[in-house]
mmCIF file of all heavy atoms in Angstrom:
data_model
loop_
_atom_site.group_PDB
_atom_site.id
_atom_site.type_symbol
_atom_site.label_atom_id
_atom_site.label_comp_id
_atom_site.label_asym_id
_atom_site.label_seq_id
_atom_site.Cartn_x
_atom_site.Cartn_y
_atom_site.Cartn_z
ATOM 1 N N VAL A 1 0.900 -1.218 0.014
ATOM 2 C CA VAL A 1 0.020 -0.005 -0.012
ATOM 3 C C VAL A 1 0.849 1.235 -0.006
ATOM 4 O O VAL A 1 1.561 1.439 0.978
ATOM 5 C CB VAL A 1 -0.865 0.024 1.211
ATOM 6 C CG1 VAL A 1 -1.764 1.274 1.310
ATOM 7 C CG2 VAL A 1 -1.742 -1.267 1.286
ATOM 8 N N CYS A 2 0.909 1.941 -1.073
ATOM 9 C CA CYS A 2 1.702 3.212 -1.208
ATOM 10 C C CYS A 2 0.834 4.289 -0.741
ATOM 11 O O CYS A 2 -0.221 4.561 -1.097
ATOM 12 C CB CYS A 2 2.122 3.323 -2.671
ATOM 13 S SG CYS A 2 3.299 4.742 -2.858
ATOM 14 N N VAL A 3 1.532 5.067 0.188
ATOM 15 C CA VAL A 3 0.795 6.267 0.851
ATOM 16 C C VAL A 3 1.733 7.485 0.741
ATOM 17 O O VAL A 3 2.928 7.255 0.652
ATOM 18 C CB VAL A 3 0.471 5.931 2.317
ATOM 19 C CG1 VAL A 3 -0.559 4.768 2.435
ATOM 20 C CG2 VAL A 3 1.657 5.709 3.194
ATOM 21 N N PRO A 4 1.213 8.594 0.901
ATOM 22 C CA PRO A 4 1.962 9.830 0.947
ATOM 23 C C PRO A 4 2.990 9.752 2.076
ATOM 24 O O PRO A 4 2.632 9.304 3.168
ATOM 25 C CB PRO A 4 1.020 10.921 1.145
ATOM 26 C CG PRO A 4 -0.339 10.444 0.626
ATOM 27 C CD PRO A 4 -0.260 8.935 0.958
ATOM 28 N N HIS A 5 4.139 10.154 1.944
ATOM 29 C CA HIS A 5 5.250 10.018 2.942
ATOM 30 C C HIS A 5 4.889 10.721 4.246
ATOM 31 O O HIS A 5 5.163 10.195 5.256
ATOM 32 C CB HIS A 5 6.471 10.584 2.422
ATOM 33 C CG HIS A 5 6.661 12.119 2.320
ATOM 34 N ND1 HIS A 5 6.107 12.743 1.208
ATOM 35 C CD2 HIS A 5 7.055 13.034 3.135
ATOM 36 C CE1 HIS A 5 6.283 13.978 1.407
ATOM 37 N NE2 HIS A 5 6.786 14.254 2.520
ATOM 38 N N ASP A 6 3.955 11.821 4.140
ATOM 39 C CA ASP A 6 3.725 12.412 5.440
ATOM 40 C C ASP A 6 2.521 11.791 6.151
ATOM 41 O O ASP A 6 2.133 12.203 7.312
ATOM 42 C CB ASP A 6 3.432 13.892 5.174
ATOM 43 C CG ASP A 6 2.327 14.149 4.187
ATOM 44 O OD1 ASP A 6 1.888 13.205 3.425
ATOM 45 O OD2 ASP A 6 1.845 15.302 4.022
ATOM 46 N N GLU A 7 1.991 10.789 5.656
ATOM 47 C CA GLU A 7 0.901 9.971 6.332
ATOM 48 C C GLU A 7 1.342 8.582 6.693
ATOM 49 O O GLU A 7 0.612 7.908 7.411
ATOM 50 C CB GLU A 7 -0.384 9.922 5.344
ATOM 51 C CG GLU A 7 -0.943 11.090 5.213
ATOM 52 C CD GLU A 7 -2.416 10.967 4.572
ATOM 53 O OE1 GLU A 7 -2.970 9.877 4.648
ATOM 54 O OE2 GLU A 7 -2.834 11.886 3.898
ATOM 55 N N ALA A 8 2.502 8.143 6.269
ATOM 56 C CA ALA A 8 2.823 6.738 6.432
ATOM 57 C C ALA A 8 2.895 6.351 7.900
ATOM 58 O O ALA A 8 2.327 5.300 8.294
ATOM 59 C CB ALA A 8 4.309 6.508 5.887
ATOM 60 N N GLU A 9 3.517 7.009 8.817
ATOM 61 C CA GLU A 9 3.639 6.702 10.280
ATOM 62 C C GLU A 9 2.176 6.691 10.851
ATOM 63 O O GLU A 9 1.851 5.713 11.719
ATOM 64 C CB GLU A 9 4.572 7.580 11.031
ATOM 65 C CG GLU A 9 5.955 7.372 10.623
ATOM 66 C CD GLU A 9 6.949 8.084 11.500
ATOM 67 O OE1 GLU A 9 6.746 8.220 12.760
ATOM 68 O OE2 GLU A 9 7.989 8.502 10.949
ATOM 69 N N ARG A 10 1.346 7.558 10.462
ATOM 70 C CA ARG A 10 -0.094 7.509 11.080
ATOM 71 C C ARG A 10 -0.776 6.339 10.590
ATOM 72 O O ARG A 10 -1.497 5.679 11.282
ATOM 73 C CB ARG A 10 -0.791 8.736 10.577
ATOM 74 C CG ARG A 10 -2.261 8.884 11.160
ATOM 75 C CD ARG A 10 -2.923 10.265 10.686
ATOM 76 N NE ARG A 10 -3.118 10.318 9.292
ATOM 77 C CZ ARG A 10 -4.114 9.714 8.624
ATOM 78 N NH1 ARG A 10 -5.028 9.030 9.275
ATOM 79 N NH2 ARG A 10 -4.300 9.846 7.390
ATOM 80 N N ARG A 11 -0.529 5.841 9.298
ATOM 81 C CA ARG A 11 -1.204 4.712 8.796
ATOM 82 C C ARG A 11 -0.710 3.398 9.529
ATOM 83 O O ARG A 11 -1.487 2.589 9.831
ATOM 84 C CB ARG A 11 -1.007 4.516 7.268
ATOM 85 C CG ARG A 11 -1.486 5.657 6.427
ATOM 86 C CD ARG A 11 -3.143 5.617 6.385
ATOM 87 N NE ARG A 11 -3.565 6.605 5.520
ATOM 88 C CZ ARG A 11 -3.939 6.457 4.234
ATOM 89 N NH1 ARG A 11 -3.826 5.312 3.729
ATOM 90 N NH2 ARG A 11 -4.380 7.405 3.591
ATOM 91 N N VAL A 12 0.602 3.416 9.713
ATOM 92 C CA VAL A 12 1.143 2.280 10.486
ATOM 93 C C VAL A 12 0.588 2.241 11.887
ATOM 94 O O VAL A 12 0.219 1.132 12.332
ATOM 95 C CB VAL A 12 2.779 2.347 10.484
ATOM 96 C CG1 VAL A 12 3.344 1.386 11.412
ATOM 97 C CG2 VAL A 12 3.292 2.135 9.048
ATOM 98 N N GLU A 13 0.569 3.314 12.551
ATOM 99 C CA GLU A 13 0.075 3.509 13.899
ATOM 100 C C GLU A 13 -1.426 2.890 13.935
ATOM 101 O O GLU A 13 -1.783 2.171 14.879
ATOM 102 C CB GLU A 13 0.181 4.809 14.487
ATOM 103 C CG GLU A 13 1.661 5.197 14.808
ATOM 104 C CD GLU A 13 1.876 6.719 15.047
ATOM 105 O OE1 GLU A 13 0.778 7.339 15.162
ATOM 106 O OE2 GLU A 13 3.012 7.051 15.242
ATOM 107 N N GLY A 14 -2.197 3.317 12.988
ATOM 108 C CA GLY A 14 -3.553 2.952 12.932
ATOM 109 C C GLY A 14 -3.726 1.468 12.688
ATOM 110 O O GLY A 14 -4.524 0.806 13.340
ATOM 111 N N ALA A 15 -2.872 0.875 11.896
ATOM 112 C CA ALA A 15 -2.909 -0.580 11.641
ATOM 113 C C ALA A 15 -2.515 -1.394 12.967
ATOM 114 O O ALA A 15 -3.152 -2.406 13.307
ATOM 115 C CB ALA A 15 -1.917 -1.006 10.573
ATOM 116 N N LEU A 16 -1.519 -0.927 13.642
ATOM 117 C CA LEU A 16 -1.175 -1.472 14.897
ATOM 118 C C LEU A 16 -2.288 -1.397 16.005
ATOM 119 O O LEU A 16 -2.584 -2.386 16.666
ATOM 120 C CB LEU A 16 0.099 -0.903 15.462
ATOM 121 C CG LEU A 16 1.404 -1.085 14.570
ATOM 122 C CD1 LEU A 16 2.612 -0.384 15.187
ATOM 123 C CD2 LEU A 16 1.720 -2.477 14.323
ATOM 124 N N ALA A 17 -2.938 -0.240 15.998
ATOM 125 C CA ALA A 17 -3.997 0.031 16.985
ATOM 126 C C ALA A 17 -5.164 -0.934 16.668
ATOM 127 O O ALA A 17 -5.953 -1.298 17.670
ATOM 128 C CB ALA A 17 -4.480 1.404 16.946
ATOM 129 N N ALA A 18 -5.355 -1.293 15.375
ATOM 130 C CA ALA A 18 -6.438 -2.124 14.975
ATOM 131 C C ALA A 18 -6.083 -3.655 15.173
ATOM 132 O O ALA A 18 -6.850 -4.589 14.836
ATOM 133 C CB ALA A 18 -6.783 -1.940 13.529
ATOM 134 N N GLY A 19 -4.871 -3.980 15.729
ATOM 135 C CA GLY A 19 -4.559 -5.412 15.982
ATOM 136 C C GLY A 19 -3.522 -5.907 15.087
ATOM 137 O O GLY A 19 -3.090 -7.085 15.232
ATOM 138 N N GLY A 20 -2.908 -5.080 14.232
ATOM 139 C CA GLY A 20 -1.844 -5.558 13.429
ATOM 140 C C GLY A 20 -0.553 -5.699 14.182
ATOM 141 O O GLY A 20 -0.461 -5.159 15.400
ATOM 142 N N ARG A 21 0.420 -6.314 13.661
ATOM 143 C CA ARG A 21 1.737 -6.589 14.236
ATOM 144 C C ARG A 21 2.816 -6.055 13.353
ATOM 145 O O ARG A 21 2.852 -6.250 12.085
ATOM 146 C CB ARG A 21 1.905 -8.072 14.510
ATOM 147 C CG ARG A 21 3.202 -8.475 15.074
ATOM 148 C CD ARG A 21 3.252 -9.947 15.313
ATOM 149 N NE ARG A 21 2.990 -10.786 14.191
ATOM 150 C CZ ARG A 21 3.862 -11.217 13.258
ATOM 151 N NH1 ARG A 21 5.243 -10.930 13.442
ATOM 152 N NH2 ARG A 21 3.539 -11.951 12.335
ATOM 153 N N LEU A 22 3.842 -5.244 13.976
ATOM 154 C CA LEU A 22 5.000 -4.783 13.167
ATOM 155 C C LEU A 22 6.017 -5.911 12.997
ATOM 156 O O LEU A 22 6.421 -6.510 13.975
ATOM 157 C CB LEU A 22 5.634 -3.647 13.951
ATOM 158 C CG LEU A 22 6.783 -2.992 13.199
ATOM 159 C CD1 LEU A 22 6.421 -2.374 11.901
ATOM 160 C CD2 LEU A 22 7.513 -1.943 14.032
ATOM 161 N N VAL A 23 6.196 -6.322 11.731
ATOM 162 C CA VAL A 23 7.240 -7.388 11.431
ATOM 163 C C VAL A 23 8.556 -6.764 11.206
ATOM 164 O O VAL A 23 9.547 -7.316 11.740
ATOM 165 C CB VAL A 23 6.792 -8.192 10.096
ATOM 166 C CG1 VAL A 23 7.803 -9.130 9.738
ATOM 167 C CG2 VAL A 23 5.452 -8.834 10.291
ATOM 168 N N SER A 24 8.607 -5.523 10.603
ATOM 169 C CA SER A 24 9.887 -4.974 10.396
ATOM 170 C C SER A 24 9.713 -3.424 9.987
ATOM 171 O O SER A 24 8.849 -3.132 9.237
ATOM 172 C CB SER A 24 10.676 -5.707 9.188
ATOM 173 O OG SER A 24 11.910 -4.912 8.964
ATOM 174 N N ALA A 25 10.651 -2.621 10.563
ATOM 175 C CA ALA A 25 10.715 -1.220 10.232
ATOM 176 C C ALA A 25 12.116 -0.914 9.734
ATOM 177 O O ALA A 25 12.585 0.217 9.613
ATOM 178 C CB ALA A 25 10.271 -0.401 11.340
ATOM 179 N N GLU A 26 12.887 -1.969 9.404
ATOM 180 C CA GLU A 26 14.226 -1.855 9.002
ATOM 181 C C GLU A 26 14.442 -0.963 7.840
ATOM 182 O O GLU A 26 15.528 -0.212 7.750
ATOM 183 C CB GLU A 26 14.798 -3.308 8.774
ATOM 184 C CG GLU A 26 16.261 -3.340 8.432
ATOM 185 C CD GLU A 26 16.879 -4.689 8.144
ATOM 186 O OE1 GLU A 26 16.441 -5.581 9.005
ATOM 187 O OE2 GLU A 26 17.538 -4.827 7.332
ATOM 188 N N ARG A 27 13.551 -0.916 6.919
ATOM 189 C CA ARG A 27 13.704 -0.164 5.718
ATOM 190 C C ARG A 27 12.899 1.095 5.694
ATOM 191 O O ARG A 27 12.758 1.734 4.662
ATOM 192 C CB ARG A 27 13.241 -1.032 4.476
ATOM 193 C CG ARG A 27 14.270 -2.284 4.280
ATOM 194 C CD ARG A 27 15.462 -1.932 3.616
ATOM 195 N NE ARG A 27 15.505 -1.083 2.442
ATOM 196 C CZ ARG A 27 15.337 -1.419 1.150
ATOM 197 N NH1 ARG A 27 15.147 -2.610 0.840
ATOM 198 N NH2 ARG A 27 15.279 -0.507 0.263
ATOM 199 N N ALA A 28 12.250 1.401 6.794
ATOM 200 C CA ALA A 28 11.529 2.716 6.932
ATOM 201 C C ALA A 28 12.434 3.905 6.664
ATOM 202 O O ALA A 28 13.573 3.857 7.059
ATOM 203 C CB ALA A 28 10.790 2.821 8.228
ATOM 204 N N PRO A 29 11.990 4.896 5.990
ATOM 205 C CA PRO A 29 10.663 5.294 5.569
ATOM 206 C C PRO A 29 10.255 4.698 4.203
ATOM 207 O O PRO A 29 9.165 5.048 3.650
ATOM 208 C CB PRO A 29 10.644 6.770 5.603
ATOM 209 C CG PRO A 29 12.014 7.056 5.140
ATOM 210 C CD PRO A 29 12.996 6.049 5.732
ATOM 211 N N ALA A 30 11.066 3.897 3.597
ATOM 212 C CA ALA A 30 10.740 3.222 2.322
ATOM 213 C C ALA A 30 9.469 2.324 2.393
ATOM 214 O O ALA A 30 8.592 2.402 1.733
ATOM 215 C CB ALA A 30 11.872 2.613 1.651
ATOM 216 N N PHE A 31 9.637 1.498 3.454
ATOM 217 C CA PHE A 31 8.464 0.609 3.753
ATOM 218 C C PHE A 31 8.531 -0.033 5.179
ATOM 219 O O PHE A 31 9.598 -0.215 5.714
ATOM 220 C CB PHE A 31 8.179 -0.563 2.657
ATOM 221 C CG PHE A 31 9.324 -1.418 2.550
ATOM 222 C CD1 PHE A 31 9.426 -2.661 3.310
ATOM 223 C CD2 PHE A 31 10.303 -1.239 1.629
ATOM 224 C CE1 PHE A 31 10.443 -3.525 3.115
ATOM 225 C CE2 PHE A 31 11.411 -2.186 1.447
ATOM 226 C CZ PHE A 31 11.350 -3.330 2.151
ATOM 227 N N TRP A 32 7.381 -0.317 5.720
ATOM 228 C CA TRP A 32 7.139 -0.954 6.898
ATOM 229 C C TRP A 32 6.420 -2.285 6.643
ATOM 230 O O TRP A 32 5.567 -2.211 5.786
ATOM 231 C CB TRP A 32 6.298 -0.222 7.929
ATOM 232 C CG TRP A 32 6.865 1.041 8.514
ATOM 233 C CD1 TRP A 32 7.334 1.223 9.648
ATOM 234 C CD2 TRP A 32 6.871 2.298 7.867
ATOM 235 N NE1 TRP A 32 7.689 2.518 9.903
ATOM 236 C CE2 TRP A 32 7.479 3.216 8.778
ATOM 237 C CE3 TRP A 32 6.589 2.766 6.594
ATOM 238 C CZ2 TRP A 32 7.620 4.641 8.507
ATOM 239 C CZ3 TRP A 32 6.697 4.030 6.358
ATOM 240 C CH2 TRP A 32 7.368 4.954 7.199
ATOM 241 N N VAL A 33 6.885 -3.419 7.199
ATOM 242 C CA VAL A 33 6.168 -4.695 6.983
ATOM 243 C C VAL A 33 5.315 -4.900 8.279
ATOM 244 O O VAL A 33 5.733 -4.908 9.354
ATOM 245 C CB VAL A 33 7.076 -5.780 6.800
ATOM 246 C CG1 VAL A 33 6.281 -7.121 6.496
ATOM 247 C CG2 VAL A 33 8.091 -5.517 5.657
ATOM 248 N N LEU A 34 3.948 -5.106 8.006
ATOM 249 C CA LEU A 34 3.034 -5.428 9.074
ATOM 250 C C LEU A 34 2.393 -6.762 8.763
ATOM 251 O O LEU A 34 2.452 -7.236 7.662
ATOM 252 C CB LEU A 34 1.912 -4.382 9.056
ATOM 253 C CG LEU A 34 2.377 -2.970 9.149
ATOM 254 C CD1 LEU A 34 1.185 -1.978 8.934
ATOM 255 C CD2 LEU A 34 3.117 -2.672 10.529
ATOM 256 N N ALA A 35 1.760 -7.294 9.738
ATOM 257 C CA ALA A 35 1.056 -8.642 9.582
ATOM 258 C C ALA A 35 -0.181 -8.644 10.419
ATOM 259 O O ALA A 35 -0.300 -7.995 11.465
ATOM 260 C CB ALA A 35 1.904 -9.831 10.019
ATOM 261 N N ASP A 36 -1.150 -9.491 9.913
ATOM 262 C CA ASP A 36 -2.416 -9.610 10.782
ATOM 263 C C ASP A 36 -2.319 -10.820 11.553
ATOM 264 O O ASP A 36 -1.222 -11.497 11.667
ATOM 265 C CB ASP A 36 -3.638 -9.661 9.798
ATOM 266 C CG ASP A 36 -3.733 -10.856 8.952
ATOM 267 O OD1 ASP A 36 -2.892 -11.820 9.111
ATOM 268 O OD2 ASP A 36 -4.527 -10.993 8.021
ATOM 269 N N LEU A 37 -3.331 -11.162 12.313
ATOM 270 C CA LEU A 37 -3.225 -12.375 13.258
ATOM 271 C C LEU A 37 -2.997 -13.658 12.571
ATOM 272 O O LEU A 37 -2.428 -14.604 13.129
ATOM 273 C CB LEU A 37 -4.512 -12.441 14.093
ATOM 274 C CG LEU A 37 -4.748 -11.315 14.976
ATOM 275 C CD1 LEU A 37 -6.093 -11.422 15.690
ATOM 276 C CD2 LEU A 37 -3.575 -11.283 16.081
ATOM 277 N N GLU A 38 -3.326 -13.802 11.276
ATOM 278 C CA GLU A 38 -3.083 -14.970 10.465
ATOM 279 C C GLU A 38 -1.703 -15.036 9.759
ATOM 280 O O GLU A 38 -1.441 -16.035 9.114
ATOM 281 C CB GLU A 38 -4.237 -15.251 9.491
ATOM 282 C CG GLU A 38 -5.603 -15.388 10.172
ATOM 283 C CD GLU A 38 -6.651 -15.555 9.122
ATOM 284 O OE1 GLU A 38 -6.388 -15.468 7.892
ATOM 285 O OE2 GLU A 38 -7.830 -15.751 9.570
ATOM 286 N N GLY A 39 -0.996 -14.031 9.965
ATOM 287 C CA GLY A 39 0.347 -13.918 9.295
ATOM 288 C C GLY A 39 0.370 -13.337 7.959
ATOM 289 O O GLY A 39 1.404 -13.335 7.211
ATOM 290 N N ASN A 40 -0.755 -12.889 7.401
ATOM 291 C CA ASN A 40 -0.761 -12.163 6.198
ATOM 292 C C ASN A 40 -0.093 -10.890 6.266
ATOM 293 O O ASN A 40 -0.280 -10.142 7.216
ATOM 294 C CB ASN A 40 -2.271 -11.983 5.649
ATOM 295 C CG ASN A 40 -2.956 -13.239 5.511
ATOM 296 O OD1 ASN A 40 -2.580 -14.127 4.732
ATOM 297 N ND2 ASN A 40 -4.078 -13.446 6.154
ATOM 298 N N GLU A 41 0.798 -10.603 5.338
ATOM 299 C CA GLU A 41 1.599 -9.367 5.433
ATOM 300 C C GLU A 41 1.108 -8.262 4.471
ATOM 301 O O GLU A 41 0.548 -8.502 3.414
ATOM 302 C CB GLU A 41 3.043 -9.711 5.176
ATOM 303 C CG GLU A 41 3.657 -10.703 6.183
ATOM 304 C CD GLU A 41 5.153 -10.988 5.898
ATOM 305 O OE1 GLU A 41 5.719 -10.622 4.776
ATOM 306 O OE2 GLU A 41 5.718 -11.574 6.766
ATOM 307 N N VAL A 42 1.505 -7.071 4.833
ATOM 308 C CA VAL A 42 1.217 -5.924 4.040
ATOM 309 C C VAL A 42 2.376 -4.932 4.208
ATOM 310 O O VAL A 42 2.968 -4.827 5.366
ATOM 311 C CB VAL A 42 -0.110 -5.155 4.352
ATOM 312 C CG1 VAL A 42 -0.118 -4.632 5.832
ATOM 313 C CG2 VAL A 42 -0.457 -4.063 3.452
ATOM 314 N N CYS A 43 2.835 -4.358 3.188
ATOM 315 C CA CYS A 43 3.853 -3.353 3.319
ATOM 316 C C CYS A 43 3.200 -1.978 3.053
ATOM 317 O O CYS A 43 2.500 -1.761 2.140
ATOM 318 C CB CYS A 43 4.884 -3.538 2.234
ATOM 319 S SG CYS A 43 5.903 -4.983 2.519
ATOM 320 N N VAL A 44 3.478 -1.063 4.077
ATOM 321 C CA VAL A 44 3.033 0.354 3.863
ATOM 322 C C VAL A 44 4.255 1.056 3.261
ATOM 323 O O VAL A 44 5.383 1.056 3.898
ATOM 324 C CB VAL A 44 2.665 0.970 5.249
ATOM 325 C CG1 VAL A 44 2.370 2.399 5.135
ATOM 326 C CG2 VAL A 44 1.454 0.246 5.726
ATOM 327 N N THR A 45 4.192 1.527 2.100
ATOM 328 C CA THR A 45 5.328 2.036 1.312
ATOM 329 C C THR A 45 5.228 3.517 1.057
ATOM 330 O O THR A 45 4.154 4.139 0.926
ATOM 331 C CB THR A 45 5.503 1.297 -0.065
ATOM 332 O OG1 THR A 45 4.433 1.633 -0.902
ATOM 333 C CG2 THR A 45 5.547 -0.235 0.206
#
């Protein structure tokens, strides 16, 4: 999911608040890897 750079952290925080899990922020701000409870991943880019 490609988002404007000035909204990325807010989107990541929203996903975590909704029950997501941070898998990696190693490449931020290029992308963050998140996962749901079933292990499905999404990159906020």
Side-chain angles (χ1 to χ4, degrees):
V1 179
C2 187
V3 300
H5 70 278
D6 57 345
E7 290 193 24
E9 289 189 35
R10 184 178 64 82
R11 300 286 183 101
V12 169
E13 290 169 5
L16 297 176
R21 176 176 57 89
L22 180 64
V23 174
S24 175
E26 183 177 319
R27 297 283 312 273
F31 63 88
W32 293 257
V33 183
L34 306 170
D36 67 10
L37 294 174
E38 295 181 357
N40 299 303
E41 295 180 351
V42 61
C43 290
V44 175
T45 70

